[in-house]
Amino acid sequence: MNKLLQQIIKFGLIGVVATLIDFGVLTALTELFGVHYLVSAAFGFLVANVFNYLFSMRYVFQSRFTKEERHKEFLLFVLLSVFGLLFNQLFMWLFVEVVGLYYLIGKVLATGFVMLWNFISRKLWIE
């Protein structure tokens, strides 16, 4: 199995767990605590991204940064994640407010777009 396929499989597995964390936080905050879905989505995204950083950098990507440069790697990861968050919020707003989908359906669709962004951007700028 070539390296790219192995990376995609590992990224996908970690992404599934991160997505479950993201959806769990979103649903819990929205349904149990009455938090607006966009605020809940932001918190879910942030928690899932911390998990994703820790596991992706350990099991998926080989960082081009040295141990002394790990802070740069983390800052770049956060920056790329912020763009991912913006895409997530934009797509969720679009699917919920413009298209009229239920917020969890909008989240599923937004997640697909953001996962594609995350893999490509990390492959290009972190590895």
Side-chain angles (χ1 to χ4, degrees):
M1 190 178 327
N2 70 28
K3 181 183 174 194
L4 180 61
L5 184 57
Q6 288 177 351
Q7 279 187 304
I8 291 171
I9 291 170
K10 289 177 185 175
F11 182 82
L13 292 173
I14 292 169
V16 167
V17 175
T19 300
L20 292 174
I21 293 169
D22 192 355
F23 274 74
V25 172
L26 167 66
T27 304
L29 290 177
T30 302
E31 300 296 332
L32 299 177
F33 299 103
V35 177
H36 189 272
Y37 74 92
L38 287 178
V39 175
S40 300
F43 276 106
F45 188 88
L46 292 174
V47 172
N49 264 290
V50 169
F51 166 82
N52 206 328
Y53 171 75
L54 295 173
F55 282 80
S56 290
M57 296 315 299
R58 182 169 177 91
Y59 298 110
V60 179
F61 300 108
Q62 290 186 335
S63 177
R64 64 177 152 162
F65 296 93
T66 65
K67 285 186 178 184
E68 294 77 26
E69 297 175 320
R70 291 288 182 202
H71 65 286
K72 292 179 185 176
E73 172 191 274
F74 182 72
L75 289 175
L76 182 56
F77 193 95
V78 169
L79 178 64
L80 295 173
S81 296
V82 167
F83 279 102
L85 175 61
L86 293 174
F87 293 141
N88 181 69
Q89 298 298 81
L90 175 65
F91 284 122
M92 280 203 65
W93 173 82
L94 182 71
F95 291 133
V96 173
E97 301 298 336
V98 177
V99 179
L101 296 175
Y102 183 60
Y103 77 95
L104 288 176
I105 301 296
K107 178 65 176 171
V108 169
L109 297 173
T111 298
F113 287 109
V114 174
M115 283 184 74
L116 186 61
W117 160 258
N118 285 341
F119 184 80
I120 292 171
S121 65
R122 291 170 191 167
K123 185 89 178 139
L124 289 175
W125 290 301
I126 291 180
E127 189 171 67

